[in-house]
Amino acid sequence: MMGMEKQHSMEDENSEYLYNPDILKKLDFGKSPAKFNPFISAAHPGEDWMVVRPLQRADYDKGFLQLLSQLTSTGSISRKQFDERFTQMKSAGGYYVTVIEDKRISKIIGAATLTIEQKFIHNCSVRGRLEDVVVNDTYRGKQLGKLIVVTVSLLAQELGCYKMSLDCKDKLIKFYESLGYKLEPGNSNAMNMR
Amino acid sequence: MMGMEKQHSMEDENSEYLYNPDILKKLDFGKSPAKFNPFISAAHPGEDWMVVRPLQRADYDKGFLQLLSQLTSTGSISRKQFDERFTQMKSAGGYYVTVIEDKRISKIIGAATLTIEQKFIHNCSVRGRLEDVVVNDTYRGKQLGKLIVVTVSLLAQELGCYKMSLDCKDKLIKFYESLGYKLEPGNSNAMNMR
């Protein structure tokens, strides 16, 4: 019995979401300037084996970090480190790591993060940022890049962001323009210090 | 007696810092590529009536929001709203709103914010962002823009950020380059959706 209880509690913990998944069902994909063909949304991503949802602790075992490593170096992150970062993000609030899972093989095949920054300006408003967008390229042609970016962009609106921002490479400008993002004349420089 | 206690506790509350001020004293301004002439630092900002420190609750009455409104619209923020946002930022963590005060007149004359974003990539690293930089332009010639930006940039390093980022207008590129920020070729586009 004790063994079973232990197992049950670990399953509960594994299915813990980073944020409330209900908010994704509310998003109105008709409001996005993105053109989907065929029309898909976070609630109906086009295949019944696909789901768009918040990050879960179990995603450590579903290839979430391996997917991120297609984007940039992730290093070797232990289960303990992953859990700690998950807990820190959840307790801080403002972290909306969102994933697409292929439920047939229990693998994460797409991900994007919305972060929310609290401001004093604009009447104590909030600003959103799009971060760490990645889609497994063996799933090309399923509009997953568009799907995951529009999902977190609509989420930013739903959460009241006066502005949603991103930094990108030259080759991605057209893609983001098709989703409603703009290079603002005279004010579109992203600078870094490393 | 009760009146005195009340007053004392309100003073304590007013002097509450958003983050620990000790960290600003540790910053090594010799490490910055910025050229100061004469040499100044957060610990020694060049005038004995000037202090560089974290935001305090009392800054609501020291013109902090009026200074921000030189940057963009702030709206009409009540003391209660300001206090709530201060509390939210402090409890979330990762918000380093930093100010310069003219102690002769108890006014905030410069401000910049470092925000810290928690990541999974780069071994669960953190990324810094420079936000909401503003200096009262009646204090020109005192290197205050440089001082406040270098302060939060060194702070980002001290806090372990693998990268510190900012978005800026064309006319500010040279200024930020002189402080060590770079436009990375092919990867320096800041896009927004409003």
Side-chain angles (χ1 to χ4, degrees), chain B residues 49-63:
Chain B
W49 45 263
M50 225 186 268
V51 61
V52 181
R53 59 165 174 78
L55 185 72
Q56 290 179 309
R57 289 193 191 269
D59 294 337
Y60 182 82
D61 297 314
K62 292 185 177 180

Side-chain angles (χ1 to χ4, degrees), chain A residues 33 55 64-65 68 71-77 81-82 85-86 88-89 91-92 95 97 115-127 129 131-132 153 157 162-173 176-177 179-184 186-194, chain B residues 33 55 64-65 68 71-77 81-82 85-86 88-89 91-92 95 97 115-127 129 131-132 153 157 162-173 176-177 179-184 186-194:
Chain A
L55 185 72
F64 169 66
L65 296 171
L68 275 188
L71 187 69
T72 186
S73 90
T74 51
S76 165
I77 300 174
Q81 281 178 293
F82 176 84
R85 179 50 38 112
F86 189 101
Q88 286 163 340
M89 286 180 172
S91 82
Y95 290 90
V97 184
T115 63
I116 300 269
E117 181 191 334
Q118 302 184 50
K119 295 286 208 183
F120 286 107
I121 59 170
H122 301 305
N123 232 326
C124 294
S125 191
V126 286
R127 174 178 183 179
R129 290 183 191 277
E131 288 290 314
D132 302 332
S153 303
Q157 270 182 39
Y162 75 97
K163 177 159 88 165
M164 173 73 161
S165 307
L166 64 86
D167 299 345
C168 74
K169 296 186 172 160
D170 295 352
K171 63 179 180 185
L172 287 168
I173 292 174
Y176 285 118
E177 279 177 343
L179 307 185
Y181 290 87
K182 291 190 175 74
L183 286 169
E184 299 177 353
N187 189 20
S188 58
N189 306 291
M191 302 185 80
N192 290 305
M193 181 152 47
R194 290 175 193 263
Chain B
L55 185 72
F64 170 66
L65 295 171
L68 274 189
L71 186 69
T72 187
S73 89
T74 51
S76 165
I77 299 173
Q81 281 177 294
F82 176 84
R85 180 51 36 112
F86 187 102
Q88 286 163 341
M89 285 179 172
S91 83
Y95 291 90
V97 184
T115 63
I116 300 270
E117 181 192 336
Q118 302 184 51
K119 295 286 207 183
F120 286 107
I121 59 171
H122 301 305
N123 232 324
C124 294
S125 192
V126 286
R127 175 177 181 178
R129 289 183 192 276
E131 287 290 315
D132 302 333
S153 303
Q157 270 182 39
Y162 75 96
K163 178 161 87 168
M164 173 73 162
S165 306
L166 64 87
D167 298 344
C168 74
K169 297 187 172 157
D170 295 353
K171 64 179 179 184
L172 286 168
I173 292 174
Y176 286 118
E177 280 178 342
L179 307 185
Y181 289 88
K182 291 189 174 73
L183 286 170
E184 299 178 353
N187 190 19
S188 58
N189 306 290
M191 302 185 79
N192 290 304
M193 181 153 47
R194 288 172 194 264

Side-chain angles (χ1 to χ4, degrees), chain A residues 19-29 31 42 52-54 94-99 112-116 126 128 147-161 164 181, chain B residues 193:
Chain A
Y19 65 93
N20 187 338
D22 295 343
I23 194 168
L24 294 178
K25 297 183 187 113
K26 285 192 214 164
L27 304 178
D28 179 2
F29 276 64
K31 272 175 23 185
V52 181
R53 59 165 175 77
Y95 290 90
Y96 296 83
V97 184
T98 305
V99 300
T113 295
L114 161 68
T115 63
I116 300 269
V126 286
L147 178 64
I148 194 75
V149 172
V150 172
T151 298
V152 295
S153 303
L154 290 170
L155 188 53
Q157 270 182 39
E158 181 71 27
L159 296 168
C161 294
M164 173 73 161
Y181 290 87
Chain B
M193 181 153 47

Side-chain angles (χ1 to χ4, degrees), chain B residues 57-164:
Chain B
R57 289 193 191 269
D59 294 337
Y60 182 82
D61 297 314
K62 292 185 177 180
F64 170 66
L65 295 171
Q66 289 73 15
L67 181 69
L68 274 189
S69 72
Q70 292 185 17
L71 186 69
T72 187
S73 89
T74 51
S76 165
I77 299 173
S78 69
R79 176 70 200 231
K80 186 162 171 283
Q81 281 177 294
F82 176 84
D83 269 334
E84 279 172 4
R85 180 51 36 112
F86 187 102
T87 302
Q88 286 163 341
M89 285 179 172
K90 193 161 183 174
S91 83
Y95 291 90
Y96 296 83
V97 184
T98 306
V99 301
I100 306 175
E101 179 182 351
D102 180 341
K103 291 176 74 74
R104 297 171 305 183
I105 53 172
S106 297
K107 287 285 173 209
I108 303 304
I109 59 174
T113 295
L114 161 68
T115 63
I116 300 270
E117 181 192 336
Q118 302 184 51
K119 295 286 207 183
F120 286 107
I121 59 171
H122 301 305
N123 232 324
C124 294
S125 192
V126 286
R127 175 177 181 178
R129 289 183 192 276
L130 176 67
E131 287 290 315
D132 302 333
V133 179
V134 58
V135 171
N136 183 323
D137 56 17
T138 64
Y139 290 79
R140 271 175 193 280
K142 297 206 171 290
Q143 307 178 285
L144 298 191
K146 216 184 276 190
L147 178 64
I148 194 73
V149 172
V150 172
T151 297
V152 294
S153 303
L154 291 171
L155 188 52
Q157 270 182 39
E158 181 71 27
L159 295 168
C161 293
Y162 75 96
K163 178 161 87 168
M164 173 73 162

